[in-house]
Amino acid sequence: MKFRVFIFACTLLIALSSPGQKIGLVLSGGGASGLCHIGVLKALEENGITVDYISGTSIGSLIGAYYATGYSPEEIEEIVKTYFFQSITRGDLPAKYEYMVKKRSEFAAWLTFRYNFYDNYLKNLPTNVINSIPIDYYLMETFTGASNSVHNNFDSLMIPFRCVAADIENKKTIVFRRGDLPTAIRASMSYPFYLRPISMNGKLLFDGGLYNNFPTDVMTEDFNPDFIIGSNVAEQNPKPDEDNLYLQLRSLLMSQTNFTMSPEKGVLIEPWCDVNVFNFENTKSLIDSGYAAAMRAIPEIKKHAASQSGKKLMDEKRKTFRSHIQPSQIMFNDIEVIGFNKKQTQFITKSIFFNREPFTLNQLKKRYFRLTSDDKIKNIFPVAVLDSSTNTYTLRLIGKKEKPFYLEPGAIISNRPISSGFLGLQYNRLGKIGFSAYINGYVGKLYTGSFGRLRFDFPGKTPLYVEPSFTYSRWDYYTSSVLFYSFEKPAYLLQEDKFGEIKAGVPVGNISQFNIAGGFTEWKNQYYQGSNFSRIDTADVTYFDYWYAEASYKINTLNRRMYATDGTYLCARARYLEGQESYYPGTTSADSLEFKNRYLLPWLQIKLTFDSYIKTFRGFKIGVFLEGVYSTQGFFNNYKSTILSAPAFNPTPESQTFFIDAYRAHNYVAGGLKAITSPARSFDIRIEGYVFQPYQSILENSSGKAYYSTPFLYRYFSGMAALVYNSAIGPISIGVNYYDQSNNSFSPFFHIGYIIFNRKSID
């Protein structure tokens, strides 16, 4: 009897001390479909199924890493729903992290080709669709603390973890068991031609899904769990098609993956996930799909893996693990730059490591995005390297400078004779200071012109740029103002604008900048003061030679160059002008007296422009536009020369291609509302209405001279209704404009491209 009691006690003791059944979770790749994995995790936790090991590929490695480093399914869900996460999956940064002072000027270019004449044409082809810089930094920021807290040993994470990448040179799978966790995840996610590959130890690593999109073999070999739960969201490789290059390349690159599992050793969960690989917008439906599919599999899972712990115990486990991770205490006291020469390294170091003072991870964020927004830098990959003896970090930046030449073709194509061709060229050089030289040219009936500039960027805690430039513009409102259906004789108005300027600017935070500028201008206007003229007549000519100085403050977070739907633009500018007018009458002028260099009283001009967009409900936005001008400007010799130099209100893209006297005044306030709805991706329907209220309208008397009306006597309305498709090369729009005129108030339009011209000196 004693022997039997002894045997029972030993059996009970062994049973109580024996470890429970170990469960491995395998997460496949599949792009945006991988968000289904979050729903699978939610269902497992709710049913007390404890995951002991995780292996993943591509998006599966990201979701798996979140879970392995102590994020709950609910926290992961909140992360992927954020605007920030949605942005970085497109290669974009939320506006608050963009650096306006580094933004390139916006012209009519459709595309930008980056080129190095020392390379063959194949090396000049782009290798990735989206900008990887936001993702690279995000992974470093998110996972560095967890990785270094376990000395980069993936077995010591809250849940032991593996992820895989593809070594395309040796045609084999690379399994990450230790090392820098953010780098491992990033390598596993490097989808060919979409996201730039990662170089590690001399090997170029791509998305792990190329050779192993469902790493059950890694799970078995490394952990040998008792039971495996697989979540598969990968689409089956379609057969190659002789007319489909994408399918041909996919078949060449990707190996077939075995997604089957032994019923005795595992359960395969396959949620609905019929979405585009790169479309991360259907977050909720994908997570719900994963949850529903996992719940259907729970009875089968419980047959092999009984519930082990409740959610409360998992939360305690997470809390304990994450208590050792304190991102706010990550301190960098050194910087290491790889891939750049000595002078380029100095530029990068000065942009981040101010006076060699240590900086936190939070301080690094703005500095890093400011540096990477420089168009002379192609990419920079950040790695935080811990010195365990001092518990401080070295920031390792691995990157390349951008190709030295930019080629930017473009055009404006319209139903009206305002079409033009465009070409821009830029040269970049990165040294101790950044340098670029840019020139562009427009050729068209309405506008012909060129703009050239040099830019010098000085790095530092407060970076500074200096930019001398020269602009030549010729505006012909005569040959371009007739609508295709109209036979009216338009006013003869030609303007030539030549000015040189030097500008300096500094950032004010990320999204704004302060500039000062000064320049000298020769402003030439040719016009007839009446409508009765012939080919043998000569026009009146007015020259205005002046110098100016100005200061401006700008904020710009608009999401598009033209037809924006999100963000805010604010420009406040003060300008002082002083110059001389010269007048040469033509054959039809009633005024036969010419004069040269008549001194005009200097004037001060203050201008404020505000454009912002507000989300109301899904698919509908309201835009608010406000503008005001205060000026002490006086009259020129006659009405025409006065109105030609007066500030103009041009709230819509096409309004700048018309010359309408009524929308010009020395002092005015104006505003409008925009109603925007998006019935489909990249399509917008816009209805815009504006009111222009001059303080005193500029009128013409019987002698052809200018005079002011009674204050607030006149006001004018304008508007636009348009359907816009935002294509890869720019907006394609069709619609109608309204201007408060007695004749031809409505004008239909059709445009392809950006109606953006070089700036006028008088604007």
Side-chain angles (χ1 to χ4, degrees):
M1 185 67 181
K2 290 182 179 180
F3 178 74
R4 288 179 179 177
V5 172
F6 174 75
I7 293 297
F8 175 77
C10 289
T11 303
L12 181 62
L13 183 63
I14 292 170
L16 290 173
S17 60
S18 294
Q21 194 174 35
K22 297 297 183 182
I23 298 174
L25 177 65
V26 180
L27 306 176
S28 78
S33 301
L35 299 182
C36 293
H37 298 322
I38 303 170
V40 172
L41 291 171
K42 288 177 70 175
L44 295 178
E45 275 211 5
E46 285 182 10
N47 287 274
I49 307 299
T50 301
V51 173
D52 299 289
Y53 313 106
I54 299 176
S55 66
T57 295
S58 193
I59 186 69
S61 71
L62 175 62
I63 303 301
Y66 278 128
Y67 200 61
T69 55
Y71 287 86
S72 70
E74 291 75 20
E75 287 173 322
I76 303 171
E77 181 175 4
E78 289 305 309
I79 289 170
V80 301
K81 283 181 177 178
T82 61
Y83 179 71
F84 181 83
F85 185 88
Q86 299 286 328
S87 296
I88 65 173
T89 60
R90 299 188 300 267
D92 299 331
L93 267 177
K96 68 177 182 179
Y97 296 114
E98 291 182 352
Y99 220 73
M100 183 183 172
V101 78
K102 297 282 189 176
K103 273 189 174 182
R104 301 180 67 226
S105 299
E106 296 177 335
F107 299 104
W110 284 1
L111 300 167
T112 298
F113 296 103
R114 293 165 172 82
Y115 204 84
N116 188 341
F117 289 102
Y118 291 103
D119 295 335
N120 62 48
Y121 69 94
L122 287 176
K123 286 194 70 174
N124 282 296
L125 293 175
T127 59
N128 50 283
V129 174
I130 72 165
N131 177 14
S132 65
I133 285 172
I135 294 175
D136 296 344
Y137 184 85
Y138 173 73
L139 294 175
M140 188 272 288
E141 180 184 54
T142 303
F143 294 108
T144 281
S147 184
N148 284 288
S149 71
V150 296
H151 306 289
N152 296 321
N153 182 353
F154 297 177
D155 285 338
S156 300
L157 294 171
M158 189 190 87
I159 300 172
F161 173 74
R162 297 288 185 269
C163 66
V164 299
D167 175 1
I168 61 170
E169 181 182 359
N170 298 301
K171 304 293 187 295
K172 67 177 185 179
T173 295
I174 301 295
V175 181
F176 290 101
R177 299 177 174 89
R178 60 180 302 109
D180 184 61
L181 179 60
T183 304
I185 300 167
R186 175 62 176 78
S188 185
M189 295 171 60
S190 302
Y191 196 90
F193 310 119
Y194 185 74
L195 199 58
R196 185 178 58 83
I198 289 291
S199 182
M200 291 183 65
N201 301 321
K203 298 175 182 177
L204 199 61
L205 302 184
F206 281 84
D207 193 297
L210 291 180
Y211 301 148
N212 190 348
N213 208 17
F214 196 56
T216 52
D217 55 337
V218 175
M219 174 63 69
T220 301
E221 292 167 11
D222 279 31
F223 300 121
N224 192 28
D226 300 298
F227 192 74
I228 296 176
I229 300 170
S231 178
N232 174 33
V233 294
E235 61 176 339
Q236 294 298 319
N237 287 350
K239 290 183 178 181
D241 188 315
E242 63 181 10
D243 296 321
N244 191 318
L245 179 61
Y246 170 73
L247 292 182
Q248 293 172 23
L249 290 173
R250 180 175 174 136
S251 297
L252 284 170
L253 291 171
M254 295 189 71
S255 300
Q256 290 292 337
T257 298
N258 182 12
F259 293 99
T260 61
M261 297 181 66
S262 168
E264 296 78 22
K265 292 286 291 182
V267 167
L268 182 63
I269 301 170
E270 294 187 290
W272 168 89
C273 52
D274 186 18
V275 296
N276 184 283
V277 175
F278 310 118
N279 182 7
F280 286 82
E281 295 179 358
N282 297 312
T283 305
K284 187 177 187 306
S285 60
L286 289 169
I287 294 173
D288 290 346
S289 173
Y291 179 84
M295 290 299 289
R296 289 193 294 269
I298 287 296
E300 184 64 27
I301 293 172
K302 287 187 173 181
K303 289 179 184 179
H304 303 275
S307 301
Q308 298 176 39
S309 64
K311 182 171 175 53
K312 186 175 180 180
L313 291 177
M314 281 298 296
D315 287 339
E316 286 297 323
K317 187 178 180 181
R318 273 190 281 267
K319 184 177 180 181
T320 301
F321 180 80
R322 291 171 66 176
S323 66
H324 301 292
I325 305 169
Q326 298 179 347
S328 62
Q329 294 184 6
I330 293 178
M331 182 70 68
F332 296 95
N333 69 347
D334 202 0
I335 185 170
E336 178 185 1
V337 180
I338 300 171
F340 298 88
N341 65 31
K342 183 178 179 181
K343 290 183 178 179
Q344 294 162 356
T345 297
Q346 287 179 312
F347 180 92
I348 292 168
T349 302
K350 285 184 177 180
S351 299
I352 289 181
F353 202 11
F354 306 148
N355 300 320
R356 303 199 69 82
E357 295 178 358
F359 54 93
T360 65
L361 187 62
N362 187 52
Q363 290 172 321
L364 170 64
K365 193 168 192 173
K366 289 185 178 180
R367 303 179 192 184
Y368 177 82
F369 287 130
R370 181 178 69 189
L371 171 66
T372 56
S373 65
D374 195 298
D375 58 5
K376 292 169 281 297
I377 292 175
K378 182 177 183 179
N379 61 69
I380 286 185
F381 186 81
V383 180
V385 182
L386 176 65
D387 182 345
S388 55
S389 63
T390 61
N391 204 35
T392 58
Y393 287 79
T394 295
L395 178 64
R396 182 178 296 156
L397 298 175
I398 308 161
K400 287 183 179 180
K401 66 182 181 68
E402 187 52 271
K403 292 181 174 68
F405 292 97
Y406 286 4
L407 184 66
E408 298 184 319
I412 301 168
I413 300 172
S414 174
N415 64 303
R416 292 179 54 235
I418 65 170
S419 300
S420 64
F422 172 85
L423 184 65
L425 180 66
Q426 179 168 316
Y427 168 73
N428 301 312
R429 184 175 62 81
L430 184 63
K432 291 178 68 174
I433 63 171
F435 170 77
S436 64
Y438 175 84
I439 188 169
N440 73 27
Y442 289 81
V443 178
K445 277 190 173 183
L446 170 68
Y447 178 73
T448 298
S450 182
F451 167 75
R453 65 152 175 81
L454 304 175
R455 175 164 169 146
F456 303 88
D457 285 283
F458 300 89
K461 188 173 184 178
T462 303
L464 165 73
Y465 78 88
V466 177
E467 184 179 286
S469 64
F470 178 80
T471 305
Y472 168 78
S473 297
R474 184 179 186 273
W475 294 83
D476 186 348
Y477 293 101
Y478 178 65
T479 58
S480 66
S481 61
V482 183
L483 298 174
F484 68 91
Y485 59 83
S486 174
F487 296 97
E488 282 192 8
K489 190 174 184 179
Y492 184 92
L493 299 173
L494 273 77
Q495 293 183 321
E496 282 191 49
D497 188 13
K498 305 172 189 174
F499 70 98
E501 180 181 80
I502 185 165
K503 179 168 63 175
V506 294
V508 183
N510 274 41
I511 62 173
S512 58
Q513 67 181 74
F514 176 76
N515 297 322
I516 56 172
F520 184 83
T521 299
E522 181 186 86
W523 178 257
K524 177 184 177 182
N525 292 310
Q526 295 176 259
Y527 52 89
Y528 290 100
Q529 296 190 49
S531 59
N532 296 318
F533 56 89
S534 66
R535 289 187 177 182
I536 62 173
D537 288 321
T538 58
D540 293 17
V541 180
T542 293
Y543 289 93
F544 181 40
D545 299 324
Y546 67 94
W547 66 269
Y548 63 90
E550 70 175 38
S552 63
Y553 173 77
K554 289 184 181 181
I555 295 173
N556 189 359
T557 63
L558 297 181
N559 62 334
R560 294 180 186 138
R561 279 184 263 174
M562 204 169 103
Y563 296 126
T565 59
D566 191 54
T568 296
Y569 174 83
L570 171 69
C571 180
R573 187 192 71 193
R575 171 182 275 194
Y576 175 85
L577 297 90
E578 188 172 316
Q580 297 173 323
E581 178 189 13
S582 299
Y583 172 68
Y584 302 90
T587 56
T588 65
S589 176
D591 189 349
S592 60
L593 295 177
E594 69 174 50
F595 57 83
K596 292 183 180 180
N597 302 328
R598 186 183 76 170
Y599 180 72
L600 289 176
L601 289 175
W603 71 79
L604 175 69
Q605 184 189 88
I606 298 173
K607 184 175 182 179
L608 178 68
T609 304
F610 175 78
D611 189 14
S612 188
Y613 297 85
I614 306 163
K615 292 181 181 179
T616 54
F617 49 86
R618 186 175 178 83
F620 187 80
K621 293 182 180 180
I622 295 292
V624 178
F625 187 92
L626 300 171
E627 187 168 276
V629 171
Y630 167 78
S631 176
T632 60
Q633 181 176 353
F635 295 138
F636 279 60
N637 179 60
N638 55 58
Y639 168 78
K640 283 293 184 184
S641 57
T642 299
I643 204 72
L644 282 162
S645 63
F649 177 59
N650 297 319
T652 62
E654 203 186 58
S655 62
Q656 62 185 310
T657 69
F658 288 104
F659 193 97
I660 304 176
D661 295 13
Y663 297 91
R664 290 172 172 259
H666 291 151
N667 296 277
Y668 67 81
V669 292
L673 293 175
K674 313 173 194 182
I676 306 165
T677 183
S678 302
R681 186 177 179 85
S682 299
F683 278 95
D684 298 326
I685 298 173
R686 305 175 68 96
I687 299 175
E688 305 180 12
Y690 303 92
V691 59
F692 174 73
Q693 177 63 72
Y695 171 60
Q696 293 174 303
S697 295
I698 302 172
L699 305 178
E700 183 179 13
N701 65 21
S702 59
S703 302
K705 303 297 183 181
Y707 72 97
Y708 285 132
S709 71
T710 302
F712 304 111
L713 180 61
Y714 300 102
R715 71 184 54 86
Y716 302 94
F717 299 91
S718 62
M720 180 191 77
L723 172 65
V724 181
Y725 172 63
N726 298 286
S727 74
I729 62 171
I732 301 172
S733 57
I734 184 169
V736 61
N737 287 310
Y738 171 79
Y739 300 99
D740 207 349
Q741 297 289 289
S742 57
N743 296 317
N744 296 325
S745 295
F746 292 94
S747 62
F749 65 85
F750 171 74
H751 298 144
I752 299 175
Y754 296 98
I755 304 180
I756 300 174
F757 304 99
N758 292 326
R759 180 175 66 89
K760 294 180 180 179
S761 64
I762 206 76
D763 286 346

